[in-house]
Amino acid sequence: VERLRLTRKLNMNIFLAQLIESTNDTWGVDLFEVDALSNHRPLTHVALHLFKQRNILKQFQIRELTFFKFISAIEAKYRNNPYHNNIHATDVLQASHHMLNFSVFKNVFTELEVFAALFAAAVHDVDHPGVTNQYLINTNSDLAILYNDESVLENHHVTLAFQTLSTEGCDVLSTLNRKQHQMFRKMVISVVLATDMSKHIQHIGHLKTMVEIRRLSSSASSIIDPENAEDKLQILQSLVHCSDLSNPLKPLNLYLQWTDRIMEEFFRQGDLEKSLNLEVSPLCDRENSNICKSQMGFIDYVVHPLWEIWSRLTQPDCQPIMDILESNRVWIASQVLTEDDKHDG
Ligand SMILES: COc1ccc(/C=N/OC[C@H](O)CN2C[C@@H](C)O[C@@H](C)C2)cc1OC1CCCC1
Ligand SMILES: [Mg+2]
Ligand SMILES: [Zn+2]
């Protein structure tokens, strides 16, 4: 029996190693599998692998042990929410890594910009309480008071990330010089704050402008001017925001798991609101919800408008991902009909 147990353990580790290797260049890795096989430490496993694969630790002389301690401390600070948890952080990190490899970004970003974008993705929801900014504001929470109702969650995520650097043995930025540290901090703050859904429309506006300039400018070559730090920062903000809203563009079985999870998180908020005699937020009433219809709305009014312009900026590498969105939407639409019947029935 002991030999059997060891063989099974060995096979699990081999399977885990193969899954982690696939995060290098695959869109739609099953991170729920990585979570199950990694003793619920997907973020530490995937982040360590991707930062090493990109040679970030060597470039900035960061000791592997220091990075391991930091990312483990961050992963431990993600709460076990149904949705906003360490698996979601890993998902956004891996999607951001994947899109940074798009050909349109070749020779555009510096190592420091790549480091800052992936660092921001890994920490972007740390210690998320599983409720929305509006809920924290409505309940006069300490966080809302601390951040004056402005991007309350996002301010908390980035503050906690930088505070974690001062935990014993966790300062992954100790080898950066003053200028690098200042630029890195500016980029991480702006990328994490840009994941606030209230900035969503601004992302679309900036991307439209950038695509328009590409269309007008004769040079058909890469539109992104590597000298324009502001443009590059805006692109990194949109890259992580797109990754944050990438669930409907993942293989259907993964998309459906994320949908179940976000709905359970919203429903728990609705339960809290009911118990506090607060008005139940939209989409948060488990007694009265139409999951497929709300996903159709999410895709048509939030996700597709953003990704449509993002895919125009990043053509042709985004097309396979847009195709998944299209097929998922067709499937959801087919379910709306049956879901209606169920309700009518
Ligand atoms: C896979 O489905 C999803 C994956 C991620 C997300 C991400 N949401 O995070 C945004 C923040 O929580 C703020 N929202 C709170 C909500 C009550 O109002 C929104 C306008 C802003 C939402 C998903 O579906 C949602 C939307 C339609 C059905 C539930
Ligand atoms: Mg967030
Ligand atoms: Zn997020």
Side-chain angles (χ1 to χ4, degrees), residues 263-327:
M263 291 319 295
E264 180 51 30
E265 193 167 304
F266 281 1
F267 291 158
R268 290 183 189 180
Q269 174 173 317
D271 298 345
L272 272 176
E273 289 164 334
K274 284 174 194 167
S275 68
L276 295 169
N277 273 324
L278 289 169
E279 190 186 339
V280 177
S281 299
L283 309 164
C284 295
D285 186 353
R286 65 171 79 246
E287 304 307 321
N288 172 20
S289 75
N290 185 321
I291 295 181
C292 285
K293 277 209 176 109
S294 52
Q295 282 303 314
M296 290 270 286
F298 184 47
I299 290 172
D300 291 349
Y301 299 110
V302 179
V303 176
H304 185 266
L306 173 71
W307 275 90
E308 195 281 326
I309 189 70
W310 176 251
S311 72
R312 275 200 272 155
L313 183 76
T314 58
Q315 278 310 1
D317 299 317
C318 220
Q319 199 47 51
I321 298 171
M322 292 301 283
D323 294 345
I324 299 172
L325 176 63
E326 186 49 40
S327 64

Side-chain angles (χ1 to χ4, degrees), residues 131-140 152-153 269 273 281:
V131 291
T132 63
N133 278 326
Q134 199 51 53
Y135 178 89
L136 293 171
I137 293 165
N138 294 349
T139 55
N140 305 310
V152 177
L153 284 167
Q269 174 173 317
E273 289 164 334
S281 299

Side-chain angles (χ1 to χ4, degrees), residues 70-308:
F70 171 77
I71 199 68
S72 297
I74 289 291
E75 182 152 37
K77 289 177 182 177
Y78 272 93
R79 299 194 200 178
N80 286 332
N81 300 311
Y83 184 92
H84 286 104
N85 55 43
N86 58 331
I87 312 172
H88 167 66
T90 312
D91 186 35
V92 173
L93 168 66
Q94 200 267 332
S96 300
H97 158 79
H98 186 87
M99 296 199 285
L100 276 170
N101 286 340
F102 281 173
S103 53
V104 73
F105 298 139
K106 195 164 174 47
N107 304 322
V108 169
F109 299 112
T110 65
E111 288 101 344
L112 191 69
E113 287 164 339
V114 169
F115 181 15
L118 296 179
F119 180 101
V123 308
H124 88 280
D125 273 334
V126 68
D127 193 39
H128 197 297
V131 291
T132 63
N133 278 326
Q134 199 51 53
Y135 178 89
L136 293 171
I137 293 165
N138 294 349
T139 55
N140 305 310
S141 65
D142 291 345
L143 275 181
I145 301 295
L146 182 64
Y147 293 114
N148 304 308
D149 298 355
E150 173 60 38
S151 295
V152 177
L153 284 167
E154 295 73 20
N155 272 297
H156 177 59
H157 303 318
V158 73
T159 293
L160 189 58
F162 280 97
Q163 285 172 336
T164 304
L165 289 167
S166 46
T167 309
E168 179 57 36
C170 293
D171 189 1
V172 295
L173 305 186
S174 64
T175 54
L176 297 190
N177 64 43
R178 187 177 304 284
K179 181 75 184 139
Q180 287 175 319
H181 190 282
Q182 177 200 14
M183 284 164 62
F184 180 91
R185 180 165 159 76
K186 175 177 180 283
M187 290 190 281
V188 169
I189 291 169
S190 81
V191 167
V192 175
L193 291 186
T195 60
D196 179 351
M197 280 296 284
S198 69
K199 312 291 187 222
H200 178 71
I201 303 300
Q202 290 165 37
H203 282 277
I204 295 177
H206 290 147
L207 289 170
K208 279 195 168 132
T209 308
M210 221 168 273
V211 167
E212 203 47 38
I213 291 171
R214 170 179 187 176
R215 205 174 57 75
L216 297 178
S217 71
S218 55
S219 70
S221 67
S222 165
I223 39 130
I224 299 135
D225 171 8
E227 301 312 311
N228 188 327
E230 274 320 299
D231 274 6
K232 289 199 286 180
L233 186 53
Q234 265 171 21
I235 288 170
L236 292 177
Q237 288 166 4
S238 296
L239 181 131
V240 174
H241 178 53
C242 286
S243 299
D244 204 16
L245 294 180
S246 64
N247 295 157
L249 296 97
K250 292 287 175 61
L252 185 62
N253 67 310
L254 301 179
Y255 172 31
L256 295 179
Q257 288 179 72
W258 288 121
T259 298
D260 290 344
R261 287 168 172 271
I262 193 74
M263 291 319 295
E264 180 51 30
E265 193 167 304
F266 281 1
F267 291 158
R268 290 183 189 180
Q269 174 173 317
D271 298 345
L272 272 176
E273 289 164 334
K274 284 174 194 167
S275 68
L276 295 169
N277 273 324
L278 289 169
E279 190 186 339
V280 177
S281 299
L283 309 164
C284 295
D285 186 353
R286 65 171 79 246
E287 304 307 321
N288 172 20
S289 75
N290 185 321
I291 295 181
C292 285
K293 277 209 176 109
S294 52
Q295 282 303 314
M296 290 270 286
F298 184 47
I299 290 172
D300 291 349
Y301 299 110
V302 179
V303 176
H304 185 266
L306 173 71
W307 275 90
E308 195 281 326

